[in-house]
Amino acid sequence: MRFNLTRGVVLTIYAVIILVPLAVVFFGSFKTTPELFDSPFGLPSSISFDNYDTVLNEQNLSQAFLNSVLVTCSSVALTLFIGSLAAYATARIPGWPGWLIFGFLVLGMTVPAQANMIPQYALFNQLGLLDSRIGLVIINVVVGLPVAVFILGGFMKTLPREAYEASSLDGAGPLRTYWSIVLPMSKPSLAATAIFLFVIQWNDLLYPLLFISSDSKKTIPLALLDFQGQFLTDYPLLFTGVVIASLPMAITYVLLQRYFVAGITAGAVKG
């Protein structure tokens, strides 16, 4: 009884810590700057979408939003495709060679992104990929692949061997088995990986800041920096941009939460 009470108190405090800043940002997006500083925790005196109109039209955040959608969705789709193929290959290779290849593929997770910035910039400069959305997609795929292989490979190694053997007896080749057997069984793990990659790549500021210089190709995290000046920050507009930037992540999680919960628990016990 005492344990349940303590847990309830801790969870309540944690929920308040999370919800209060979210409420301040959300309601602050409907306020003016004087109203926000006068009553940061209060409700707005009136519901006005002037800040959203300013952010989307005058501040050109709509273009940054479109850039983020194109770059992130393309990056996640390519990473899942390539990562699932690599994970499937390591899962099908028996014994230590499969684990050795798996370990080599996920080795990239141990290298900090900052350690590769200078050689990556020099390489992309030589290839003419600076200040381009394609360059961002490529770097996102390269950085996200070790994570995708780690999550998907760990799950695919728990799939029963009988499924592979039954598919082979039916005359299916490796690619047919991958498409018809492995991918449908891996939906929870694919959804969990997709959400994880989407959040990381949607919020990424390092690589857009390093590679993008044109205003028309900025992503949302990079565009939000324009709301912060050296001596003055327009917090209502900044909060509005944060709300808009957070919507795709919230919608993605709501749509895939059933698979996400199953994905993070899949593989805990080998089937």
Side-chain angles (χ1 to χ4, degrees), residues 16-99:
V16 170
I17 294 174
I18 296 297
L19 292 176
V20 168
L22 290 178
V24 171
V25 170
F26 178 74
F27 291 120
S29 67
F30 297 100
K31 298 178 180 179
T32 62
T33 300
E35 186 180 3
L36 178 64
F37 282 102
D38 184 58
S39 179
F41 297 101
L43 296 176
S45 58
S46 62
I47 301 297
S48 173
F49 293 93
D50 291 342
N51 289 333
Y52 288 87
D53 181 66
T54 301
V55 165
L56 292 175
N57 297 319
E58 297 180 18
Q59 298 293 334
N60 204 29
L61 196 67
S62 56
Q63 180 62 46
F65 186 89
L66 178 60
N67 291 335
S68 286
V69 170
L70 292 175
V71 170
T72 304
C73 291
S74 301
S75 301
V76 171
L78 283 173
T79 305
L80 286 179
F81 176 67
I82 300 173
S84 61
L85 282 173
Y88 169 65
T90 60
R92 289 298 304 270
I93 298 175
W96 66 265
W99 284 105

Side-chain angles (χ1 to χ4, degrees), residues 142-165:
V142 171
V143 173
L145 266 178
V147 178
V149 173
F150 178 77
I151 299 175
L152 295 173
F155 176 81
M156 290 182 183
K157 288 181 181 297
T158 67
L159 296 180
R161 288 283 175 183
E162 291 77 8
Y164 299 133
E165 296 171 358

